[in-house]
Amino acid sequence: MGELKYKRVLLKISGEGLCLKGDKGIDGEALRQIAGEIKQVANLGVQLCLVVGGGNIVRGAELARKSHIVEATGHYMGMLGTVINALAIQDTLEGMGVDTRVQSAVAVDRVCEKFIRRRAIRHLEKGRVVIFGGGTGNPFVTTDTCAALRATEVGAEVVLKATKVDGVYESDPLTDPSARRFAHLTFNEVIDRRLKVMDVSAIDMCQQNHIPLIVFDLNVPGNMRRVVEGEPVGTRIDAGDG
Ligand code: UDP
């Protein structure tokens, strides 16, 4: 077993990671696969927190475009969707014997804790996987921004962005098979080249707070473990100063 490169890590999972390709909702097998990878890393002694997206349930802006729902309401619905996903991941992990807590930025008192920074850190110190639902609690932003924010708040050393491809490509590898993958990028390169990695606000927050970002494929078994052990998996984004 390798040395740990990172001891406190924030993993960002998109809602679409929880369902089948092109589908909506929650798929039990996709959940089990993700939870298995998380368990492996938690068992290494890594303090692990997750920010869960909600794109498999509701994306506020998209819903508002297609309905008479006011956009702000759509975003509130999106945030509640992330709480649903957080609960799904919680039960799957607990079923595998992993101790967890869900904290939400939107109060849902009967089902999970509120987000309280100091309490979240305490859970991490006790070896619990902390699942952040409810996004930032504010409409008109995404869970990518939430991931950068929570990573900063809890002092995570790195943000791991789970995707369905093995890193950041110069163009979409699903439509352009000749697209090349970057092993390393700086924050400025991501912004200047307008690479679709995370929102600009999320990139900016990681840059301001000196938190590197690693984009990797969570569907490859053992990949997250390799990342926390320092293997060059996916694309690493940092300030480029070593
Ligand atoms: N959302 C929000 N504020 C937040 C986080 C999320 O309003 O702080 C809403 C927003 O409508 C977003 C939806 O929740 O589209 C689902 O989150 P996101 O799109 O980030 O999910 P992902 O693409 O990661 O599955």
Side-chain angles (χ1 to χ4, degrees):
M1 195 188 294
E3 289 274 298
L4 289 180
K5 174 155 185 178
Y6 303 107
K7 300 204 170 61
R8 185 172 291 173
V9 167
L10 185 139
L11 172 69
K12 161 72 208 293
I13 304 172
S14 291
E16 63 179 23
L18 308 186
C19 61
L20 298 175
K21 197 163 182 272
D23 204 358
K24 290 267 181 189
I26 295 175
D27 176 68
E29 194 39 53
L31 265 181
R32 271 190 293 280
Q33 195 273 336
I34 287 174
E37 297 301 304
I38 292 169
K39 177 180 173 163
Q40 230 185 75
V41 168
N43 283 351
L44 294 175
V46 174
Q47 295 183 7
L48 187 58
C49 52
L50 319 179
V51 165
V52 192
N56 57 325
I57 300 178
V58 170
R59 284 207 176 89
E62 195 181 309
L63 181 65
R65 273 196 305 277
K66 294 180 179 165
S67 70
H68 292 287
I69 294 169
V70 171
E71 184 166 346
T73 307
H75 291 306
Y76 298 137
M77 293 168 70
M79 285 187 267
L80 293 171
T82 71
V83 177
I84 292 174
N85 285 337
L87 295 175
I89 295 174
Q90 174 169 52
D91 263 22
T92 313
L93 280 170
E94 297 261 342
M96 293 179 174
V98 180
D99 204 7
T100 68
R101 292 291 186 275
V102 172
Q103 289 202 343
S104 171
V106 178
V108 198
D109 291 348
R110 295 286 176 100
V111 294
C112 63
E113 295 179 8
K114 287 192 256 236
F115 170 65
I116 298 175
R117 176 182 159 271
R118 292 171 66 103
R119 185 183 279 184
I121 291 171
R122 194 79 192 102
H123 288 320
L124 290 173
E125 288 168 349
K126 287 185 173 169
R128 297 170 183 145
V129 174
V130 182
I131 307 164
F132 295 122
T136 61
N138 297 302
F140 299 98
V141 289
T142 72
T143 49
D144 281 353
T145 300
C146 179
L149 179 65
R150 294 286 180 259
T152 306
E153 285 177 284
V154 304
E157 297 152 285
V158 65
V159 171
L160 308 184
K161 160 105 175 166
T163 60
K164 288 182 171 172
V165 288
D166 60 344
V168 181
Y169 283 74
E170 52 191 359
S171 56
D172 186 351
L174 300 177
T175 52
D176 174 9
S178 68
R180 282 176 308 144
R181 182 178 65 85
F182 298 101
H184 177 258
L185 285 162
T186 64
F187 292 118
N188 288 337
E189 283 169 338
V190 170
I191 292 168
D192 294 346
R193 288 170 173 253
R194 293 187 160 76
L195 294 169
K196 289 196 180 69
V197 177
M198 280 181 130
D199 302 342
V200 175
S201 56
I203 299 288
D204 185 57
M205 203 176 298
C206 287
Q207 183 168 25
Q208 297 298 326
N209 295 292
H210 314 286
I211 302 175
L213 184 61
I214 296 174
V215 180
F216 75 109
D217 187 350
L218 186 58
N219 292 318
V220 176
N223 243 1
M224 187 164 45
R225 176 186 55 74
R226 285 190 276 278
V227 171
V228 299
E229 289 178 347
E231 283 186 40
V233 172
T235 301
R236 182 186 166 92
I237 301 160
D238 58 27
D241 51 6

